[in-house]
Amino acid sequence: MGNRETLAVFVKELKVVVREKRLLAILIMQPIILITVFGYAFSGEIKNVPAVIIDDDSSVASKQIISAISSTEILDLRYFAATTSEAVEMIKRGDIQVAIHIPEGFANDVLNKGKIEVFVDESNFNVAITALNLIERISSSLSRELNGGISVEQRYIFTTKTRMIDFIAPAIIGVVIQMLGLILSASSIAREREEGTLELIMATPLRSVDLIAGKFLAITGIIVVDIFNVMLISHYLFNVEVRGSILLLFAVQLLFLTGSIGLGLAISAVSATQLQGIQASMLMAIVSIFLSGFFYPLESMPEIARLIAYFIPLTYANIAFRNIMIKGNGLDVVYPYVGVLVFYTLLTTLLATRLLRRKISTGGGS
Amino acid sequence: MPKAKLVIENLTVRYGEFVAVNKLSFQVKEGEILGMLGPNGAGKSTTIKAILGLVSFEGRIEIAGEDVSSVEVRRKIGYMPQSFSLYQNLTVEENMRFFASIYGVEKSEMSRRMDELLRIAELERWKDKLVKNLSGGMKQRLMLACSMIHDPEMLILDEPTAGVDPPLRRAFWEHFRDLNKEGKTILVTTHYMDEAENCHRLIVMRNGAKMAEGNADEIKRRALGGELILIDSIKKQEALRILKSFGFNSEVVEDKIAVLVENSAKTLPSVVEILRKHNLPVTYAETKKLTLEDAFLKFIGGENG
Ligand SMILES: Nc1ncnc2c1ncn2[C@@H]1O[C@H](COP(=O)(O)OP(=O)(O)O)[C@@H](O)[C@H]1O
Ligand SMILES: [Mg+2]
């Protein structure tokens, strides 16, 4: 493989895409819009978080705290529980996310060192922090009023619950990789064919491996920017966490990206125009989104849909991403899905090289 | 006898059922300008694509003794396609650099080569302009420059002057002749007869087959099966009878006698002499120049189908 030739194709490809302002805008904005829209739709503003109070003190001071809390919109005091263990159970079941325990003798202690226990659902970090901040604020204003001191003790409850956005964010990355990978690669070969440059470069000693390698690298470079955007936004704006290895996640993302680019190149080799290539890719992407378990886990899909889903590579990418991001699993767990993706990637890249070489050698020029 | 730079033997190219080039054979000799002439759809571009490995074909094509199936052979060729095909969203310089890189032009050689070609193509001032913003003539000059970026031994130019205004056409051909003098072999297709006269040899194609081959004069002679002498004498019918009795293929065309001979310049004096001996003074004599266009039309016209 010629490094210099590959590099020349890589540089050229990047310049061409960057100078096509409309394409570039789509490439950069689409993932950002996707994650932001889904993020706001499925993580929601922190408001009316279901909470429970365990008031073992029943004093004027504890009533004051309870009324201060209920006067805000952040927590929704739905229940009163008798014991903390009952409250913790409720959190684990997912009925509530926050429990506030005011221990017996709080009113007496408040003048020197009264304490409030706050139990929060750790899986929903954003909510937990907001609730804790609220209670800290209320306690300290009350402390000032009473010339005393209240300390807030935080207790994290570990649950296996996930928010919708935790479930969807990994799939958004999958969709972005597949959709943009397909579109970029399909249009890149087709553009060259329409402008006649494909014929011209095929008349040079440039080998098709170098051409494909250069295009692969350029498209990968662009989509890696998209992946980072989505990951950063979902982390910093919507508190989506990667519990497993970031490196493993990135490696699987690159693997799936390679497969998608391969598929895009293969599609563009058999489609006559740039538009046709993009349309075919879009169709692929949309079908994949609906049938790959984007919104619902595979297990809750109808049987026929599930059967189809097993033939969609995005399904395996989503499962792998979710396992790594939500459950923190390693390669020991996700290897079957990664295996399927390796197979997919080998298949599509081989197909692309084959089809492109044949396409080129049998002309198909105007 | 110069060596053959390009040998094409029994070339057949099909697009599905359709035979675009049919058992074509010809050679381009080292250092010559060979013109391919033929109407639209004759198969000129297809022949060129076969040489460059852009279509699959039957037959044998060799460049400098090497089969064209080897990719390395392409380093020896500079190709200028019929329709404009460079990267519209790259600048003049970026296009040249790209092609220099994929042709493997040495880094040290690259800037010198690019500067020289920019100067020749008169594109120095435009080197940072995006190609899509260039005029038609500039684009054409850039295509030629890009095809020569790797200093190829042979240039294959598919209608390089199509849609180019006459002054630039002339400049292009002057440049081709200069390149040829520097030793470059050129295979060029054209529509323009005046351009064809610039070629050392010509191939006339029609329906994927070769109709004629030779230099411009040979082509013209072959079109008629010879050359024409036009003469007139005081007694036209008498003169015609005598010429026929001497075995000349002659007849009255309009108000002159047309004599078909192998070589008009050589034969004219003897024709005049014969008539003079029979007391038929010649009042008019001309070796009729057939234009290449006449010959061309004759070859591609119906009766040779
Ligand atoms: N890709 C193609 N598919 C089918 N037919 C083609 C293709 N390219 C050219 N042809 C046909 O082959 C014939 C020769 O075309 P071409 O070589 O372009 O002729 P020329 O260059 O002499 O005008 C034409 O009849 C043309 O329609
Ligand atoms: Mg043509």
Side-chain angles (χ1 to χ4, degrees), chain A residues 365-366, chain B residues 15 18 20 39-46 82:
Chain A
S366 58
Chain B
Y15 292 114
F18 180 72
N40 263 330
K44 305 180 297 292
S45 297
T46 303
Q82 182 172 356

Side-chain angles (χ1 to χ4, degrees), chain A residues 133-180:
Chain A
N133 282 343
L134 173 75
I135 293 162
E136 287 276 7
R137 215 167 50 234
I138 289 172
S139 319
S140 66
S141 80
L142 199 65
S143 300
R144 243 176 288 125
E145 226 171 89
L146 301 174
N147 277 321
I150 300 173
S151 71
V152 176
E153 293 195 358
Q154 313 175 355
R155 305 253 187 279
Y156 286 98
I157 311 294
F158 288 87
T159 64
T160 49
K161 233 160 22 73
T162 48
R163 296 170 302 159
M164 196 67 180
I165 187 62
D166 292 318
F167 183 75
I168 282 182
I172 288 180
I173 296 173
V175 167
V176 163
I177 289 175
Q178 156 148 349
M179 181 136 68
L180 298 187

